[in-house]
Amino acid sequence: INPDKHNPDGDGVKAELHWVVLFSGGYALLFRPQYLIMLIPIYAQKLFSDDLTRWSLNSQYSIEFVPILSIALFTLLMKIKTQQKTMILATNLTLLAAFTTYSKIEQRKGYYHPDNSMFYDKVHYDRNFSISKVNNALKLIPKDAIVCAQTVLVPHLSNREFIYVYPDINNADYIALLNQNIFSGEQDDYNKKLECLLVSPFWETIYNQNSTYIFKRKKGISIASLITNANGKVIKFRAGIKASNGNIVSLQDNKLIANRNWVGPWEKFQFNIYNKRKMNLLSFRFKYVSSESQLIADKDYALEWESFTIHVLPDNKFAFQAYNGKYIKPNPQNNLLEATSDTITDKEMFEIIPE
């Protein structure tokens, strides 16, 4: 079941995981249930996450199935009394697992780029950039710097205390990316995030050649001063939003809700600030946020109801005023953001956390 009905990329991802486990030896768990108990924590880590990439075959906690399924199969085969029956069953099981592996290399649910896994195809080894030039570009990053990098670049930068896999930027001082979204997500969304980084006032582009980008975080940038001194220039950046209840704003069925403890990919919004205090907000799916009482991110373009006024307050706090003239705050009962306040109090104050 995909709990996010507005994101069809998650449809069938969990079911595919169950079928692949079954065809890869999971049926042995019916006869050896003690090994199924061992897999319960792995299933919980994958399926109870709110990140659809973790449900799938593509990401975290998939390799842990392999040794447990293998042991369950071997213990099952050991109970067969005749060698001939053992060989027949083992051969059939091997063929079934091989067919399942091949079919899932060719195609699978969720965010998946088959070129990365098709080791038997020439396209798997093609590159549109020079590896030596990329390695030289990575040398621009100090060895002791905190880094966020694309998955394929992480091993080349990993000999340091802190490193994050993009798009989890966190407190990184440098970002290293290629122009291709190699492992997960849609290329179009990746391009939009990359374009926002290129114009963000919080990041300096120190390298942009050979399909490679190196960004360095700018220090001491104040959002309040950016807004005050905009002078008609459009300011674009991505950031998390912390509400007055102490929680981070995220999406739930396309509705903005302040119920998270940290800023992850789903909790980042693109700010488009223009005419000093006017702005639009885009969700991580690049849908515009609209303010018809409750705040909902489901619009493909921005009109009046997708326009907000941002008010700069003391202590790095901000208030957002919707098109109806009301100020935004989290509902105390369900934490959903709504434009219902006539004045700015502590409840209408937000913090902006730039990526």
Side-chain angles (χ1 to χ4, degrees):
I1 299 173
N2 178 12
D4 188 354
K5 61 184 178 181
H6 299 284
N7 188 5
D9 291 323
D11 293 346
V13 173
K14 293 182 179 180
E16 181 182 58
L17 171 68
H18 298 318
W19 281 113
V20 170
V21 169
L22 180 66
F23 292 150
S24 300
Y27 38 79
L29 301 174
L30 302 176
F31 303 95
R32 296 291 182 270
Q34 63 269 35
Y35 296 108
L36 179 58
I37 295 174
M38 295 172 65
L39 285 174
I40 288 176
I42 309 302
Y43 271 115
Q45 286 176 313
K46 285 186 70 68
L47 302 183
F48 292 157
S49 172
D50 59 5
D51 185 350
L52 69 87
T53 60
R54 295 184 181 178
W55 311 339
S56 68
L57 308 174
N58 308 330
S59 192
Q60 286 91 339
Y61 315 118
S62 293
I63 192 63
E64 286 85 349
F65 285 90
V66 176
I68 297 176
L69 292 178
S70 299
I71 294 171
L73 274 174
F74 276 112
T75 56
L76 179 63
L77 290 172
M78 288 171 60
K79 293 294 183 180
I80 300 176
K81 296 182 179 180
T82 65
Q83 184 177 6
Q84 183 179 10
K85 289 183 179 179
T86 301
M87 290 300 297
I88 292 174
L89 182 58
T91 301
N92 289 333
L93 295 179
T94 302
L95 291 174
L96 179 59
F99 172 77
T100 302
T101 301
Y102 175 76
S103 63
K104 293 297 108 181
I105 287 177
E106 291 283 323
Q107 184 178 8
R108 67 181 71 165
K109 300 286 186 179
Y111 301 136
Y112 179 59
H113 299 278
D115 294 351
N116 298 323
S117 301
M118 295 168 61
F119 61 92
Y120 45 81
D121 195 303
K122 179 180 178 296
V123 70
H124 177 72
Y125 304 96
D126 289 341
R127 296 288 182 271
N128 68 344
F129 54 84
S130 165
I131 295 177
S132 61
K133 290 181 179 180
V134 172
N135 287 329
N136 287 332
L138 296 180
K139 293 178 182 178
L140 295 172
I141 301 175
K143 292 183 178 181
D144 59 346
I146 302 174
V147 177
C148 169
Q150 203 169 353
T151 305
V152 293
L153 300 179
V154 166
H156 303 277
L157 295 162
S158 59
N159 189 21
R160 63 189 66 240
E161 188 173 2
F162 295 103
I163 188 168
Y164 305 106
V165 178
Y166 185 81
D168 292 326
I169 296 174
N170 297 315
N171 62 331
D173 293 318
Y174 289 83
I175 302 175
L177 301 174
L178 300 175
N179 67 350
Q180 288 180 294
N181 187 24
I182 293 178
F183 275 104
S184 64
E186 298 296 332
Q187 182 67 42
D188 184 54
D189 287 354
Y190 182 83
N191 290 342
K192 290 176 181 177
K193 294 175 184 177
L194 185 57
E195 290 167 5
C196 194
L197 272 175
L198 287 166
V199 299
S200 171
F202 299 98
W203 292 94
E204 176 188 0
T205 306
I206 62 173
Y207 187 89
N208 180 5
Q209 299 178 41
N210 189 43
S211 303
T212 308
Y213 299 89
I214 308 292
F215 299 95
K216 180 181 179 181
R217 186 185 295 276
K218 296 180 182 178
K219 304 292 185 179
I221 302 297
S222 165
I223 298 176
S225 63
L226 286 173
I227 296 171
T228 303
N229 301 317
N231 294 325
K233 183 176 68 174
V234 177
I235 302 170
K236 293 185 179 182
F237 60 90
R238 299 181 73 237
I241 304 172
K242 187 176 183 180
S244 57
N245 62 4
N247 293 331
I248 303 297
V249 177
S250 186
L251 286 187
Q252 180 174 293
D253 293 331
N254 282 350
K255 297 178 181 179
L256 273 66
I257 182 170
N259 67 346
R260 298 301 172 92
N261 296 321
W262 64 88
V263 179
W266 289 24
E267 289 73 46
K268 290 182 181 177
F269 295 83
Q270 179 174 316
F271 285 72
N272 295 339
I273 301 176
Y274 57 94
N275 292 340
K276 287 194 175 181
R277 293 193 302 153
K278 295 294 184 182
M279 74 171 196
N280 305 125
L281 274 180
L282 288 91
S283 72
F284 74 97
R285 297 192 187 108
F286 294 97
K287 296 288 186 178
Y288 284 94
V289 176
S290 185
S291 60
E292 300 171 8
S293 182
Q294 289 185 337
L295 270 65
I296 302 176
D298 63 351
K299 299 297 189 292
D300 293 322
Y301 46 85
L303 296 175
E304 290 89 349
W305 286 96
E306 291 72 49
S307 177
F308 298 85
T309 302
I310 183 170
H311 296 268
V312 178
L313 306 175
D315 301 322
N316 292 317
K317 300 291 180 66
F318 302 87
F320 303 118
Q321 189 174 18
Y323 182 69
N324 63 2
K326 303 289 185 178
Y327 295 96
I328 296 165
K329 68 176 182 180
N331 185 298
Q333 275 73 47
N334 55 25
N335 291 326
L336 290 170
L337 297 196
E338 56 186 18
T340 57
S341 296
D342 294 317
T343 58
I344 300 174
T345 68
D346 290 346
K347 296 179 181 179
E348 289 74 30
M349 295 182 182
F350 293 84
E351 295 178 38
I352 299 175
I353 309 169
E355 70 172 7

